[in-house]
Amino acid sequence: MAQTIKNQIIEGNIPRHIAIIMDGNGRWAKEKGMNRIFGHSQGVETVRKIVEASSEIGVGYLTLYAFSTENWARPKKEVNALMELLVSTLKVEITKLHKNNVKLHTIGDIAALPEKCQQELEESKKQTENNTGLNLTLALSYSSKKDILNAAKILAHKSVNGDILIDDIDESVFQQELSTCNFPDVELLIRTSGENRISNFLLWELAYAELYFTKTHWPDFDAEGLYQAIDDYQKRERRF
């Protein structure tokens, strides 16, 4: 079935930038009588599948909501486990990502992460910095509201210092101060696990995105689910 759906996809109309809110690890684990950490570890397997499938069909940019600023409020044990999982996953996966020509990026307050995470992320990004395939961005300790607020502050300082005139500030100028300034706007947002919310994710960049919600928990999401989302996207009439 996945192959059939994949064959329906129009090659010339692949979303250039897909963003995903990977939701449902905890609920998936609870339904199986396991702890949330087990759900997160299984979610990593899904990340691998989706990155491979996205790269294979020619998606240019894939942004994954891995950890929001609100996630710091979770139990300390779970947060620590997530940080350890991030480090161990990068150690295992970065060689394969590099081999597949994937370029790794991050957005968010990376300085808030444990030093070990920061080091592993920096090394991984450096290893893939010259790759020219899929641009994979991990949103970590990320808040879109904070990113927008930070851009406003930067432009306010520039205005006060006489580096820019207020009348010269337009959408293009503002966008250059966002952490996503080097990425195209999102064309397709996917959220798993049945929640129909944006949850403070890429608010500026999602202005004209098509939204796709599925009840499938993230650990059960797969390449077929991705193809279905893209097929649905291609059947819509996009009006800006």
Side-chain angles (χ1 to χ4, degrees):
M1 184 178 178
Q3 186 65 27
T4 302
I5 297 173
K6 185 179 179 182
N7 290 340
Q8 291 177 359
I9 294 175
I10 303 169
E11 290 186 11
N13 190 25
I14 301 292
R16 189 180 180 200
H17 187 173
I18 296 177
I20 304 179
I21 300 176
M22 307 179 293
D23 199 10
N25 289 341
R27 277 170 290 220
W28 180 87
K30 183 178 181 181
E31 288 175 3
K32 297 185 178 301
M34 306 295 287
N35 61 39
R36 293 175 61 85
I37 296 171
F38 177 73
H40 294 310
S41 65
Q42 292 302 302
V44 170
E45 297 298 319
T46 302
V47 170
R48 182 184 296 113
K49 295 174 186 176
I50 298 308
V51 170
E52 290 179 355
S54 297
S55 181
E56 182 181 343
I57 63 175
V59 174
Y61 297 81
L62 177 65
T63 301
L64 304 178
Y65 205 4
F67 193 86
S68 71
T69 52
E70 290 82 5
N71 288 155
W72 288 113
R74 291 184 176 184
K76 186 176 181 180
K77 182 179 179 181
E78 182 179 353
V79 171
N80 290 341
L82 282 168
M83 295 299 117
E84 291 173 7
L85 184 60
L86 172 62
V87 172
S88 62
T89 300
L90 286 170
K91 285 181 179 296
V92 171
E93 296 295 329
I94 195 60
T95 300
K96 187 173 183 180
L97 290 174
H98 183 47
K99 183 179 179 180
N100 291 332
N101 201 26
V102 174
K103 184 173 183 177
L104 182 66
H105 309 266
T106 59
I107 55 175
D109 184 11
I110 304 304
L113 301 178
E115 187 173 343
K116 186 183 296 185
C117 292
Q118 295 182 47
Q119 292 175 348
E120 199 64 42
L121 285 166
E122 192 59 35
E123 291 174 10
S124 297
K125 288 193 290 184
K126 187 171 182 61
Q127 187 174 343
T128 64
E129 64 183 354
N130 294 320
N131 291 346
T132 58
L134 174 68
N135 288 274
L136 173 62
T137 302
L138 301 180
L140 294 159
S141 190
Y142 175 80
S143 162
S144 186
K145 284 185 175 181
K146 286 188 176 181
D147 198 27
I148 292 171
L149 181 60
N150 183 62
K153 288 180 177 179
I154 291 172
L155 288 171
H157 282 298
K158 287 185 176 182
S159 178
V160 169
N161 293 333
D163 297 326
I164 191 171
L165 297 175
I166 291 178
D167 289 342
D168 290 336
I169 300 175
D170 57 16
E171 289 185 11
S172 177
V173 170
F174 190 90
Q175 188 168 10
Q176 287 306 305
E177 303 301 342
L178 295 171
S179 61
T180 56
C181 61
N182 294 319
F183 311 142
D185 282 346
V186 177
E187 292 183 331
L188 172 63
L189 170 75
I190 300 171
R191 180 166 187 157
T192 58
S193 200
E195 301 291 350
N196 300 335
R197 297 191 301 272
I198 304 301
S199 296
N200 197 11
F201 184 46
L202 300 174
L203 301 177
W204 178 280
E205 299 83 357
L206 288 173
Y208 294 104
E210 298 296 323
L211 310 183
Y212 180 88
F213 301 105
T214 173
K215 293 182 179 180
T216 304
H217 297 319
W218 179 247
D220 286 332
F221 196 72
D222 56 14
E224 178 184 351
L226 177 67
Y227 302 148
Q228 287 176 333
I230 294 174
D231 182 57
D232 182 83
Y233 164 88
Q234 293 184 341
K235 290 176 179 176
R236 300 183 188 184
E237 180 185 351
R238 300 195 73 202
R239 297 187 298 275
F240 298 91

